[in-house]
Amino acid sequence: DSSYSQLWEREMKVFDKKYATLLISLDHTMLFVGSNASLCCIDIATSESRWMKGFKGITGCGITLMQHPAHEGQIYAAGNGKLKCFEVSTGKKLWSTPVVNMSDSLVTTIFSQRGDWICAASRGTIVRISPRTGAIEWKYVAKETSWGRSTAMCHATLVVSGDSLMFGMHGRIGAVDCSRGSLMWTVRIAKLRLHDTVVAMCMMKVDGENILFATAAGVLMAIVCKTGLITYEKDLFFGHKLEIDQGALDHADGVLYCAMCDHVVAFEPSTGSPYWATHFPGLGTAMPTLLTTASGDLLVAGGGEVHLLDQATGEKVDHESLQRTFPIVYQGHNMITMVRSGQTTCPHRCPG
């Protein structure tokens, strides 16, 4: 509610000092938590575990989790170079598909809008996978895989626009035709090659055109989805080391929002002109969480701090201090859920 009263909190030692990934089930009754080689299904009403499965993932990193209305009975989890499908009700593994044949590889995933395919990316390789069988339908190598410094950081961010898949990774941003797996365009960006960056991306329609917004290494870019044309590039506030100033993007009501290590900025998307900027000297995290809420607020989390801002003005509405950790926040069904330092907290009710 408006007082952010806590509904429950439970200690989960299996997630101690590890980043966790959260997903609220499509029917809003279960919370899936993936971290530290484990995938857990928690009853939201009671906080009791329904099932837990071992999942060989990357130590200290979350496991990518997905569901889609076309496959409501399945939960898809990715990590350690593989994508796996589990039965929601029992946790039974239905299939497992390797994306790359390399251990300790983070895998990012995305569903098509209709749910008829999944694209997964790891270490410069992108594959299209059948959500029913796990069969690989095509493979595209954006960057040759090796144990080198750059390819180890090829953690791709994926955005879908119709039958096109946009990707951002170390050194480049590009688009692939999802029907054939062929490259449509690619843009090589020097700052993304010089710094080990994770590219944050989101897409919104601007003046009737689908525009891809991307931020990394202290820069915000607007790119036409069809052609790869960069319409503008804006320098943002950034720290002494660009590789640790990873931004986060979200949008609502025709406004683009960007959160960085010390600032949150609202932009007019067609020109990149700022509406407002709010300074957060205590946030101090390289990859903050940024969410627009249905109540018209902007939630920013990181470094043990959770802030609520007014979307129109950037003014701070509310604030909560946690222990000095980095909370991972997920919004679903008017709830805010956080995982921090081995504890799953809330869900909190959003105002309104």
Side-chain angles (χ1 to χ4, degrees):
D1 54 24
S2 59
S3 64
Y4 285 84
S5 58
Q6 183 172 293
L7 301 182
W8 52 260
E9 179 171 334
R10 59 171 293 188
E11 179 131 359
M12 303 187 70
K13 292 184 178 179
V14 69
F15 302 136
D16 189 32
K17 299 179 180 179
K18 302 294 188 294
Y19 286 100
T21 307
L22 302 177
L23 182 68
I24 293 176
S25 64
L26 294 172
D27 62 3
H28 312 298
T29 63
M30 293 171 284
L31 174 67
F32 300 104
V33 188
S35 181
N36 198 25
S38 297
L39 176 60
C40 183
C41 177
I42 299 173
D43 189 300
I44 288 180
T46 66
S47 80
E48 297 298 321
S49 297
R50 292 194 181 183
W51 50 260
M52 180 177 288
K53 296 291 181 179
F55 187 101
K56 190 177 180 183
I58 310 170
T59 302
C61 290
I63 296 169
T64 306
L65 301 174
M66 292 194 310
Q67 270 196 297
H68 193 280
H71 312 279
E72 191 169 356
Q74 286 80 48
I75 173 74
Y76 299 87
N80 203 48
K82 295 179 180 179
L83 175 64
K84 298 185 180 185
C85 177
F86 296 88
E87 194 174 73
V88 168
S89 58
T90 64
K92 177 184 176 182
K93 185 174 71 175
L94 301 179
W95 52 259
S96 176
T97 299
V99 178
V100 291
N101 295 317
M102 301 180 75
S103 61
D104 295 333
S105 298
L106 180 68
V107 180
T108 52
T109 55
I110 194 168
F111 256 110
S112 70
Q113 293 168 342
R114 297 182 296 271
D116 52 346
W117 50 256
I118 297 171
C119 276
S122 183
R123 288 186 177 268
T125 295
I126 303 172
V127 297
R128 173 172 148 166
I129 297 174
S130 167
R132 299 190 182 276
T133 66
I136 294 179
E137 298 171 339
W138 54 253
K139 178 184 289 187
Y140 171 73
V141 179
K143 193 178 182 73
E144 290 296 332
T145 304
S146 71
W147 289 105
R149 178 173 180 264
S150 63
T151 51
M153 289 301 297
C154 274
H155 304 328
T157 308
L158 305 175
V159 173
V160 171
S161 174
D163 288 326
S164 301
L165 176 76
M166 264 62 67
F167 64 87
M169 63 177 65
H170 182 276
R172 66 200 67 199
I173 296 173
V176 174
D177 184 334
C178 289
S179 61
R180 301 187 300 272
S182 57
L183 182 68
M184 297 171 58
W185 54 262
T186 185
V187 178
R188 298 197 177 195
I189 301 168
K191 282 187 176 181
L192 303 189
R193 295 196 301 269
L194 296 175
H195 304 281
D196 284 343
T197 55
V198 177
V199 183
M201 301 196 305
C202 73
M203 187 193 69
M204 60 187 297
K205 193 172 288 290
V206 180
D207 298 329
E209 187 93 59
N210 286 337
I211 302 296
L212 179 71
F213 294 93
T215 183
V219 171
L220 173 68
M221 290 167 286
I223 304 172
V224 179
C225 290
K226 286 184 179 179
T227 63
L229 174 68
I230 299 177
T231 59
Y232 63 77
E233 180 178 319
K234 299 287 184 179
D235 287 325
L236 305 175
F237 305 101
F238 55 87
H240 296 293
K241 294 183 178 180
L242 291 177
E243 63 266 27
I244 68 169
D245 201 1
Q246 311 291 344
L249 294 173
D250 203 353
H251 65 90
D253 301 324
V255 179
L256 178 69
Y257 301 95
C258 180
M260 293 158 286
C261 185
D262 292 319
H263 294 83
V264 178
V265 187
F267 294 95
E268 199 285 318
S270 62
T271 63
S273 301
Y275 286 123
W276 53 257
T278 302
H279 186 216
F280 285 97
L283 199 60
T285 181
M287 297 186 71
T289 296
L290 177 67
L291 290 171
T292 54
T293 69
S295 56
D297 294 318
L298 196 65
L299 185 143
V300 186
E305 303 287 324
V306 179
H307 296 272
L308 208 62
L309 282 70
D310 185 288
Q311 289 183 15
T313 64
E315 294 182 1
K316 299 175 185 179
V317 176
D318 206 346
H319 164 256
E320 182 175 350
S321 292
L322 310 173
Q323 53 187 309
R324 185 66 184 175
T325 54
F326 299 92
I328 308 299
V329 183
Y330 180 80
Q331 179 186 6
H333 196 53
N334 213 29
M335 296 178 182
I336 299 293
T337 309
M338 291 180 288
V339 164
R340 53 183 170 85
S341 190
Q343 293 180 330
T344 304
T345 304
C346 83
H348 290 291
R349 295 287 181 183
C350 298

